Amino acid sequence: MQVTVCGGGNAAHTAVGLLASRDDLIVNVYLSYEHEARKWLEGNRVSNGIQVLQPDGYALGKPCQISSNPGEVLPGSKLVLLTVPAFAHEDVLREIAPHLDMGAWVGALPARSCFELCVQDVLKEKLGSITIFGLQTLPWACRIQHYGQQVLLLGTKSQVDLAVEPQEQATALANCLSDLLGLMVNPVASFLSLTLAGTGQLVHPGIMYGLFHGWDGAPYAQAPLFYQGVDAESASVLQSMSNEVQMIRAALEQQFSDLDLSAVRPLDEWLRRSYPQDIEDSSTLQSCLNTNRSYTELRAPMRALDGGLEPDFQARYLSEDVPYSLVGTLGIAELADIPVAVIKQVVQWAQERLGKEYLVDGEMCGRDLVHTRAPQRYGIRSIDPLVLGIQRTLR
Ligand code: NAI
C-alpha cells in the first residue's frame, strides 16, 4: 500500500520513520513548503531515512519520495495522513485535492473539532469519492532531534478514537490504522462525537485560564507547572467546562434518539480511563491532574521577558486549541441552544490574549471566526448536518 504523509514537523517525522520502516508500505512525504522539502532531502541523504528513537531501540524508515509538488507524491496513495496543526488543514487539503485517488482514505492526526466541515468546504463534490477520517489525538508525543533525520518518540498512547465518513469504511480503516500505528484504534459513532469528546480543548485552554487569568504582568522566575499547578479554583473551571460538554451531549441525545455520543466522557472519567497506571490519587479531577506521572514536571509555555518569563499566549494551547477545538464546541452549543457560560468565559479571555475576535458581546460573529472550526464559519445554522453527518447530508 502507498501512503503519503503530509507535513514536515514532529508528527510527520514520526509517522514517516515508523511507517517507512515496514516492508509492505511505500511511504511518500508531501511538504507544502519547498524549503522544508529541501531540508528533508538533505537530511535523508545524511541518515538514509528517518530514525525514530524509542526507549527500547529505534526504527529507521526511508521515504520513497519527498516533494513539495503534490502531483509527485499523492497519486496512487490509498492512505493520506495530514500530520499538520489544524490551522494548516485547509491549505494542505486545497493543495492535495486535485491529486487524490478515487477511494483514498484521507485523514488528520489529530483532527481537532469539525474536521469534516473543513474537508467538505474544500473538497466539495470530490468528497463523494473518498473516505475521510480523524483521530482524536496524535498517537505520539515526539520531538525532532535532527531535521529530516531523527525524531525522539517520548511516548505512545495505547488507544485513540477514530471518526470515519462514510461509516461503512470504519471497520476496515480502524483495522488498518491499528496495524500501521501499533495501537488500538476505536471507531466512534461520528465526527460530532469526536469533536465533543476532545479533551485537549478543555484541559489546555482551561488550565491556561486557571494559571494566568489573574496575571498582573510581573515576570515569572520560572515557568509554572502546568498539570501539577492546577489548584482547586482551576479544577473547578475544568469541571464546569466538562459539565457543560455533558449538557450538550445530554440535550442532543434527548433530541435525537439514534444519536450515539457515548464516547463523550466527563473529563475525570477520561483521565482515569486513559491513564489507569499513571494516576496516583484518582479521587478528584484535581488529584487526577496533579498526581498523573505522565504529566510530571510539564510546565506552562513561556517566553522571555525582561528579567524573567511571561506566559506565551501564542503557544498552541491557545492558538490551536481555542479556534480549532473549543470554538467548534462552543458553536455546536450555540446551534443546540445550550448555555455554556464557562466555556464562553474561557474563549472570551483567550481571544483577548490571542488578539483575536471570535465572540462579540457573547455572540459568535467576530471578524476572526473565519479562522476557526465553528460550524457557523461554514454557514451552518442548524445542528442537523452535524448530527446526520456530511456524507448523508450530501446524498
Ligand atoms: P510542528 O510544528 O512540528 O510541524 C508543523 C508542520 O506543519 C510543519 O511542517 C509546518 O511547515 C507545517 N505547516 C504549518 N502551517 C502550514 C500551512 N499553513 N500550510 C502547510 N503546512 C503548514 O507540529 P507537530 O508537533 O508535528 O504537531 C502536529 C499536530 O499534532 C498539531 O496539531 C499538534 O498540536 C499535534 N500534537 C503534537 C504532539 C507532539 O508531541 N508533537 C503531541 C500531541 C498533539
Side-chain angles (χ1 to χ4, degrees):
M1 179 167 72
Q2 183 177 307
V3 182
T4 297
V5 175
C6 303
N10 301 300
H13 278 69
T14 306
V16 170
L18 293 178
L19 297 180
S21 70
R22 295 173 56 125
D23 294 335
D24 55 346
L25 298 177
I26 295 166
V27 180
N28 292 341
V29 190
Y30 170 61
L31 298 123
S32 297
Y33 302 120
E34 210 186 321
H35 70 273
E36 282 195 353
R38 268 201 308 274
K39 276 175 72 183
W40 267 74
L41 286 163
E42 281 161 23
N44 253 265
R45 268 193 287 278
V46 176
S47 62
N48 204 31
I50 303 287
Q51 196 181 40
V52 185
L53 301 177
Q54 302 170 60
D56 51 354
Y58 69 89
L60 179 68
K62 189 173 170 56
C64 184
Q65 293 213 68
I66 299 165
S67 178
S68 58
N69 176 353
E72 285 178 6
V73 281
L74 267 302
S77 288
K78 173 68 181 170
L79 182 64
V80 178
L81 303 175
L82 271 60
T83 58
V84 292
F87 50 75
H89 287 164
E90 189 175 325
D91 289 347
V92 173
L93 284 166
R94 265 184 224 296
E95 292 153 11
I96 66 174
H99 310 284
L100 293 173
D101 280 16
M102 290 248 311
W105 290 335
V106 182
L109 294 69
R112 306 299 183 198
S113 288
C114 302
F115 175 67
E116 77 283 21
L117 301 183
C118 174
V119 182
Q120 181 185 31
D121 186 52
V122 176
L123 298 190
K124 303 203 165 57
E125 61 280 3
K126 188 146 197 177
L127 192 58
S129 65
I130 61 164
T131 294
I132 64 164
F133 67 93
L135 292 189
Q136 190 183 18
T137 61
L138 189 75
W140 318 290
C142 48
R143 294 289 177 272
I144 294 169
Q145 304 297 292
H146 300 286
Y147 198 89
Q149 299 180 45
Q150 192 184 61
V151 61
L152 178 62
L153 185 53
L154 298 159
T156 303
K157 297 186 177 79
S158 57
Q159 49 181 310
V160 54
D161 284 353
L162 164 79
V164 182
E165 281 210 32
Q167 268 286 317
E168 300 83 73
Q169 294 284 323
T171 306
L173 191 46
N175 290 341
C176 174
L177 291 174
S178 295
D179 173 37
L180 296 188
L181 302 174
L183 47 93
M184 207 194 300
V185 175
N186 308 313
V188 298
S190 61
F191 272 95
L192 177 60
S193 179
L194 199 77
T195 293
L196 294 175
T199 48
Q201 64 182 336
L202 309 180
V203 171
H204 298 150
I207 297 181
M208 288 293 280
Y209 175 86
L211 286 175
F212 299 122
H213 75 282
W215 182 51
D216 59 6
Y220 285 81
Q222 67 168 337
L225 288 164
F226 197 70
Y227 299 96
Q228 291 163 288
V230 171
D231 60 11
E233 192 194 338
S234 301
S236 147
V237 170
L238 291 169
Q239 188 65 61
S240 301
M241 293 170 82
S242 172
N243 292 347
E244 288 177 350
V245 172
Q246 291 304 309
M247 279 165 48
I248 303 171
R249 170 186 168 175
L252 291 178
E253 284 180 336
Q254 198 176 15
Q255 196 180 339
F256 300 93
S257 55
D258 289 346
L259 185 63
D260 174 5
L261 294 178
S262 53
V264 185
R265 298 186 170 82
L267 184 53
D268 54 344
E269 189 185 315
W270 179 85
L271 283 162
R272 288 186 198 103
R273 190 169 182 267
S274 304
Y275 299 100
Q277 314 298 338
D278 294 332
I279 296 174
E280 214 166 286
D281 173 2
S282 62
S283 55
T284 66
L285 174 56
Q286 184 183 350
S287 69
C288 284
L289 293 162
N290 291 164
T291 70
N292 185 340
R293 272 184 287 273
S294 305
Y295 293 156
T296 304
E297 278 299 314
L298 293 179
R299 290 181 182 270
M302 308 293 278
R303 60 186 185 190
L305 175 72
D306 288 344
L309 298 169
E310 64 174 349
D312 182 359
F313 295 125
Q314 298 304 322
R316 299 235 175 111
Y317 283 174
L318 293 189
S319 65
E320 187 180 10
D321 284 301
V322 172
Y324 292 90
S325 292
L326 192 56
V327 169
T329 291
L330 179 56
I332 291 168
E334 192 174 278
L335 293 176
D337 209 14
I338 315 295
V340 289
V342 180
I343 290 179
K344 223 175 214 185
Q345 186 181 333
V346 171
V347 169
Q348 180 67 43
W349 171 83
Q351 72 175 14
E352 287 159 20
R353 305 285 86 69
L354 287 164
K356 302 287 183 191
E357 183 189 81
Y358 310 123
L359 293 168
V360 179
D361 297 332
E363 300 295 315
M364 296 199 64
C365 59
R367 62 168 188 268
D368 294 307
L369 207 61
V370 65
H371 301 298
T372 71
R373 284 282 177 74
Q376 289 80 351
R377 171 240 185 281
Y378 299 101
I380 291 180
R381 298 283 172 262
S382 95
I383 195 74
D384 296 20
L386 291 153
V387 171
L388 287 170
I390 48 168
Q391 304 264 6
R392 257 191 284 167
T393 316
L394 281 179
R395 280 174 206 161

